[in-house]
């Protein structure tokens, strides 16, 4: 199977009011992976209420059961169209769900692996760990503020659906200082896990010493989500925790061109 990307992969992302700025943590994982793997791509921005329609139109599979318990499956971003590899019907390959997408990209573009061979189990455990200790903790702070960066149609859809699933957004985080303490505690756990690499990686910034991988992308993605949502003052404080480790990691990604939005 050829791995040459003659044509750019199409990445579907969720529009916001800040212009061409990625903010969804799930999309960030794949965007960083595309940059890291040096796969040319272009972004198609989608409004929240149009994600399902676009997913159906391009032939993507729905990825997530509705939180309302109805059993209805929902389309989500990221989704990709890869014009360089055709499916069984001779059409460009369409893939949805960040976990499925990253495995697909490593399979058909294997020159630079985001998940190095032999580390799949490590990645599965690490992604769950990050979900519990960073993304899940940040959700209480960030989800109620997401409408602030959405255009009108997306904002209305986001508020209506999320309040149907979880109740009033303005009640989601009644004690913001306590929520921040929980985020700090979660980041302390992640820092402690990275410190296990101390002897082999002096800076202990990477999950796999001396090498970037999808595990690192999963760590950075929720931090970038928070950066788009919370105040600059709050984010500057977060970056400085754990001896400035999170700011150092973000700087590394920025300087390496991994946060580019094409």
């Amino acid at each position: 199977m050829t791995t040459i990307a003659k044509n750019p992969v199409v990445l579907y992302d969720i529009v916001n009011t800040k212009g061409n700025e990625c903010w969804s943590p799930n999309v960030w994982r794949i965007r960083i992976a595309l940059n890291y793997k040096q796969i040319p791509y272009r972004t198609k921005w989608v409004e929240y209420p149009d994600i399902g329609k676009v997913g159906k139109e391009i032939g993507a599979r729905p990825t997530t059961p509705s939180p309302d318990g109805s059993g209805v499956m929902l389309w989500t971003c990221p989704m990709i169209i890869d014009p360089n590899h055709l499916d069984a019907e001779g059409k460009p390959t369409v893939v949805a769900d960040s976990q499925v997408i990253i495995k697909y990209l490593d399979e058909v573009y294997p020159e630079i692996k985001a998940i190095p061979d032999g580390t799949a189990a490590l990645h599965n455990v690490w992604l769950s760990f990050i979900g519990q200790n960073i993304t899940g903790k940040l959700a209480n702070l960030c989800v109620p503020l997401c409408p602030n960066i959405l255009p009108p149609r997306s904002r209305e859809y986001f508020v209506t659906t999320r309040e149907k699933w979880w109740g009033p957004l303005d009640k989601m985080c009644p004690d913001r200082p306590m929520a921040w303490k929980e985020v700090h505690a979660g980041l302390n756990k992640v820092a402690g896990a990275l410190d296990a690499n101390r002897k082999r990686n002096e800076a202990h910034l990477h999950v796999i010493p001396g090498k970037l991988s999808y595990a690192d992308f999963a760590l950075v993605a929720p931090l970038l989500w928070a950066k788009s949502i919370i105040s600059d003052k709050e984010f500057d404080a977060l970056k400085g925790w754990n001896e400035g480790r999170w700011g150092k990691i973000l700087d590394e990604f920025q300087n390496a061109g991994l946060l580019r939005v094409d």
Side-chain angles (χ1 to χ4, degrees), residues 3-4 37 106 108-113:
T3 62
I4 299 174
K37 293 171 69 64
D106 268 358
V108 300
Y109 301 102
E111 289 83 359
I112 303 174
K113 289 287 189 73

Side-chain angles (χ1 to χ4, degrees), residues 151-182:
R153 286 183 62 238
S154 289
R155 181 168 60 247
E156 180 181 3
Y157 178 87
F158 185 93
V159 172
T160 300
T161 54
R162 274 58 182 177
E163 292 198 338
K164 177 182 178 182
W165 299 338
W166 304 320
L169 293 182
D170 60 1
K171 306 295 184 183
M172 190 171 179
C173 188
D175 190 339
R176 198 168 180 84
M178 179 57 67
W180 271 116
K181 288 181 180 179
E182 292 180 1

Side-chain angles (χ1 to χ4, degrees), residues 7 35 39 65-66 130 144 157:
N7 300 296
N35 290 331
I39 300 171
S66 174
I130 291 298
Y157 178 87

Side-chain angles (χ1 to χ4, degrees), residues 195-255:
D195 282 344
N197 289 331
R198 185 180 301 275
K199 292 182 179 179
R200 297 183 58 193
N201 181 12
E202 185 176 348
H204 28 277
L205 300 180
H206 303 154
V207 179
I208 300 174
K211 182 179 180 63
L212 284 172
S213 70
Y214 189 64
D216 300 298
F217 310 165
L219 187 163
V220 165
L223 300 181
L224 293 169
W225 176 40
K227 181 177 184 292
S228 295
I229 303 296
I230 64 178
S231 70
D232 291 342
K233 181 179 179 179
E234 288 177 321
F235 192 69
D236 286 342
L238 184 156
K239 288 192 299 181
W241 289 343
N242 304 104
E243 300 178 343
R245 182 180 313 213
W246 317 117
K248 292 175 184 176
I249 292 174
L250 289 166
D251 287 345
E252 177 188 25
F253 273 64
Q254 182 67 53
N255 294 336

Side-chain angles (χ1 to χ4, degrees), residues 12-15 44-48 50-51 54 77 79 154:
Y12 288 85
D13 199 349
I14 304 168
V15 71
K44 280 197 173 183
W45 300 95
V46 185
E47 291 249 18
Y48 252 115
D50 298 332
I51 293 175
V54 170
C77 288
M79 300 179 283
S154 289

Side-chain angles (χ1 to χ4, degrees), residues 8-100:
V9 168
V10 179
L11 172 65
Y12 288 85
D13 199 349
I14 304 168
V15 71
N16 60 80
T17 57
K18 298 186 176 185
N20 294 339
E21 179 179 310
C22 183
W23 64 283
S24 163
N26 290 328
V27 181
W28 259 127
R29 293 183 186 184
I30 299 305
R31 187 180 295 280
I32 294 171
L34 289 166
N35 290 331
Y36 177 71
K37 293 171 69 64
Q38 301 175 28
I39 300 171
Y41 71 94
R42 60 186 177 90
T43 304
K44 280 197 173 183
W45 300 95
V46 185
E47 291 249 18
Y48 252 115
D50 298 332
I51 293 175
K53 175 185 176 183
V54 170
K56 291 177 183 177
E57 288 176 348
I58 67 174
R61 293 182 178 180
T63 60
T64 304
S66 174
D68 64 9
S70 65
V72 174
M73 295 296 293
L74 304 177
W75 282 264
T76 59
C77 288
M79 300 179 283
I80 66 166
I81 298 178
D82 181 3
N84 303 296
H85 298 91
L86 305 183
D87 61 19
E89 298 179 357
K91 299 178 181 179
T93 299
V94 178
V95 191
D97 187 277
S98 58
Q99 292 302 96
V100 179

